[in-house]
């Protein structure tokens, strides 16, 4: 009985061990920062108009604050100090200077 148990358990124990394979090396980070628009109530699930440095506006989807980590759409921008204006239906919801670093996801919380 013990011999049969050892024969069954030994392959299971060996299957738990694995050889370490070479890890892919990262040569450099992409030179981009990201914006994520969140709102706890009113604007969750709606589209807003966002403008960076007074340039061409783009449409951004706002996600509920609780789901932002998994389901939010991130919008790539160049890193640095930027002036961000967010509006909906002609009403300015957010206007502020922000600093975005490389590979940083900056959460913009709307009312």
């Amino acid at each position: 009985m013990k011999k049969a148990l050892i024969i069954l358990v030994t392959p299971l124990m060996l299957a738990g061990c694995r050889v370490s394979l070479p890890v892919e090396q990262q040569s450099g980070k992409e030179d981009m920062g990201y914006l994520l628009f969140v709102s706890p109530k009113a604007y969750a699930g709606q589209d807003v108009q966002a403008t960076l440095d007074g340039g061409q506006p783009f449409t951004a989807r706002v996600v509920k604050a609780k789901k932002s980590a998994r389901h939010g759409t991130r919008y790539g921008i160049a890193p640095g100090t930027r002036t961000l204006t967010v509006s909906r239906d002609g009403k300015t919801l957010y206007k502020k200077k922000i600093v975005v670093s490389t590979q940083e996801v900056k959460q913009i919380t709307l009312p």
Side-chain angles (χ1 to χ4, degrees):
M1 181 70 176
K2 285 185 182 181
K3 197 174 193 180
L5 184 62
I6 291 173
I7 291 174
L8 291 173
V9 172
T10 303
L12 293 174
M13 290 176 53
L14 291 175
C17 301
R18 69 177 190 154
V19 177
S20 295
L21 300 174
V23 177
E24 183 179 327
Q25 293 182 354
Q26 187 176 7
S27 61
K29 294 183 177 179
E30 189 177 349
D31 192 23
M32 284 190 85
Y34 300 93
L35 295 177
L36 177 64
F37 298 93
V38 298
S39 177
K41 297 178 184 175
Y43 298 102
Q46 298 181 13
D47 290 335
V48 294
Q49 295 295 316
T51 307
L52 284 171
D53 299 327
Q56 188 71 18
F58 63 94
T59 302
R61 173 68 79 176
V62 180
V63 293
K64 196 168 194 171
K66 292 180 183 178
K67 296 182 179 183
S68 63
R70 293 192 191 122
H71 303 337
T73 303
R74 296 176 178 143
Y75 299 92
I77 63 168
T81 303
R82 314 296 296 267
T83 302
L84 175 67
T85 305
V86 180
S87 61
R88 176 160 169 82
D89 298 329
K91 180 181 174 186
T92 301
L93 306 174
Y94 184 93
K95 185 172 184 172
K96 196 172 185 181
K97 268 195 171 180
I98 59 171
V99 177
V100 181
S101 302
T102 301
Q103 292 295 309
E104 177 188 8
V105 178
K106 188 80 161 183
Q107 280 195 357
I108 308 301
T109 305
L110 303 175

